[in-house]
Amino acid sequence: MALLALVIAILIERYYHGNQSVARDKLSSDNWYFGYLRFLDKTFGDKSWYKSWLKEVFEVLLPAVLVFVLFKLFDDGFIASVIVLALMVLVLVHAFGPQLPSKQLQGYFNAMENDDQQAAYEYAKTYTGKESDDQEQMVKDVTNSIFYNIESQYFSVAIWFVILGPAGALLYRMLLWQQQDGKLGTFGSKVHYAMEWFAFRLSALTYLLAGDMANGIENSKGQFFDLEISGRDLLNTVATASMGAYIDDEDAGACASNHCAISLSQRAGVILFAVIAVATFLGWTFV
């Protein structure tokens, strides 16, 4: 059922990315979650017991636990299976995206093609959240952001969905929302770090298979099992090195590595999906 839910969610993603990006953004809106956080602060904010790690448990773990319990309430049966499948797809579509880098960077690529450096810098800054000193650094920052955004918005969500079910996908997305908003506490940061450390390394293996494996392995020796190296750092190292010989096959131009990063991520995504399919058929998935 996990594979079927992923297929349906990916088809929905494809439809919305090609037709109704505004509607798609609404499907991934985090308004409900931050509304939930405001409700908790208003209700329990002045309570002495509502502090530190317990506060984070309410903010992050409680919604995931409720989703887990909700799915466990359904017994086996055709109607129950249909309902569970629909809920799985809903959670996945909500946790995915909201937009692929190829769509988010359309203005950036157009500016680079038209040699409009100022516009390109502005688009790159919006996408990466960083100020770049020169064009080379800008292109590098965009490449790293492409790898991270595809991983955090799609690959990791799919991985944790397969491992822990819909609750895992939602848990990872909620941690990411808090991290992006600068509200992630000590406990949440540790959980987020652990989830990315594991999922990003699984994805890094698909980049090795999709790209220049020899170069990727050479540049990441001794890093895969190092707890001090974050998932993001490891993924950037492996994915960038895995572009290797393939970058020359991409479109010529200053942003060739950006196009190559998107292409490599697409190939890695196909491999990841194939691995998930095999795991599903072997009964190694949570759902």
Side-chain angles (χ1 to χ4, degrees):
M1 190 175 291
L3 181 61
L4 181 58
L6 277 170
V7 170
I8 296 173
I10 289 171
L11 290 175
I12 292 174
E13 286 285 292
R14 184 175 180 82
Y15 168 76
Y16 275 109
H17 282 141
N19 296 280
Q20 304 177 39
S21 61
V22 175
R24 178 63 191 86
D25 290 347
K26 290 181 180 179
L27 286 176
S28 287
S29 175
D30 57 11
N31 290 337
W32 72 268
Y33 181 62
F34 287 105
Y36 166 72
L37 296 186
R38 289 191 294 271
F39 169 77
L40 289 178
D41 285 337
K42 183 178 179 180
T43 307
F44 305 114
D46 58 345
K47 307 296 182 181
S48 59
W49 55 268
Y50 187 67
K51 303 292 182 182
S52 186
W53 65 271
L54 188 58
K55 179 175 183 292
E56 295 185 62
V57 167
F58 272 74
E59 291 179 344
V60 178
L61 293 184
L62 183 59
V65 170
L66 291 177
V67 169
F68 178 84
V69 172
L70 175 65
F71 278 87
K72 286 297 182 182
L73 289 177
F74 292 96
D75 294 324
D76 293 335
F78 177 75
I79 300 299
S81 297
V82 172
I83 294 174
V84 167
L85 178 62
L87 290 175
M88 284 182 183
V89 173
L90 178 62
V91 171
L92 268 177
V93 173
H94 179 58
F96 277 154
Q99 287 189 348
L100 290 168
S102 55
K103 191 172 185 67
Q104 290 177 291
L105 291 169
Q106 188 172 3
Y108 164 78
F109 288 134
N110 291 337
M112 291 291 281
E113 290 174 5
N114 296 325
D115 201 26
D116 187 348
Q117 293 297 316
Q118 185 57 40
Y121 276 110
E122 291 301 320
Y123 282 119
K125 179 182 177 182
T126 299
Y127 183 69
T128 66
K130 294 181 179 180
E131 291 275 4
S132 303
D133 297 329
D134 51 42
Q135 180 174 286
E136 182 179 354
Q137 184 61 46
M138 176 187 71
V139 172
K140 182 179 178 181
D141 289 341
V142 170
T143 296
N144 289 340
S145 293
I146 287 172
F147 290 135
Y148 178 73
N149 289 343
I150 290 178
E151 174 63 37
S152 61
Q153 295 175 1
Y154 293 97
F155 291 4
S156 287
V157 172
I159 288 170
W160 286 111
F161 172 77
V162 170
I163 294 175
L164 296 178
L170 186 61
L171 174 61
Y172 177 75
R173 174 56 69 181
M174 291 187 296
L175 289 168
L176 190 63
W177 282 334
Q178 281 211 341
Q179 189 263 341
Q180 292 172 340
D181 205 54
K183 295 182 178 179
L184 200 58
T186 303
F187 175 75
S189 295
K190 291 180 179 179
V191 176
H192 182 250
Y193 183 90
M195 293 185 81
E196 288 202 338
W197 189 96
F198 180 76
F200 280 42
R201 277 163 169 76
L202 286 182
S203 296
L205 294 175
T206 68
Y207 278 95
L208 290 176
L209 294 172
D212 189 340
M213 180 182 290
N215 196 40
I217 293 175
E218 179 65 28
N219 283 270
S220 59
K221 283 183 177 178
Q223 295 184 18
F224 264 88
F225 301 102
D226 191 336
L227 296 176
E228 299 301 320
I229 297 178
S230 69
R232 182 170 189 169
D233 290 341
L234 186 279
L235 182 71
N236 281 339
T237 298
V238 172
T240 301
S242 295
M243 288 194 293
Y246 292 85
I247 193 169
D248 295 331
D249 297 331
E250 300 299 323
D251 298 334
C255 57
S257 64
N258 300 150
H259 289 293
C260 186
I262 292 175
S263 297
L264 180 62
S265 296
Q266 290 171 342
R267 294 194 292 269
V270 172
I271 293 173
L272 179 62
F273 185 82
V275 171
I276 289 174
V278 172
T280 301
F281 290 133
L282 294 177
W284 293 349
T285 60
F286 180 84
V287 286

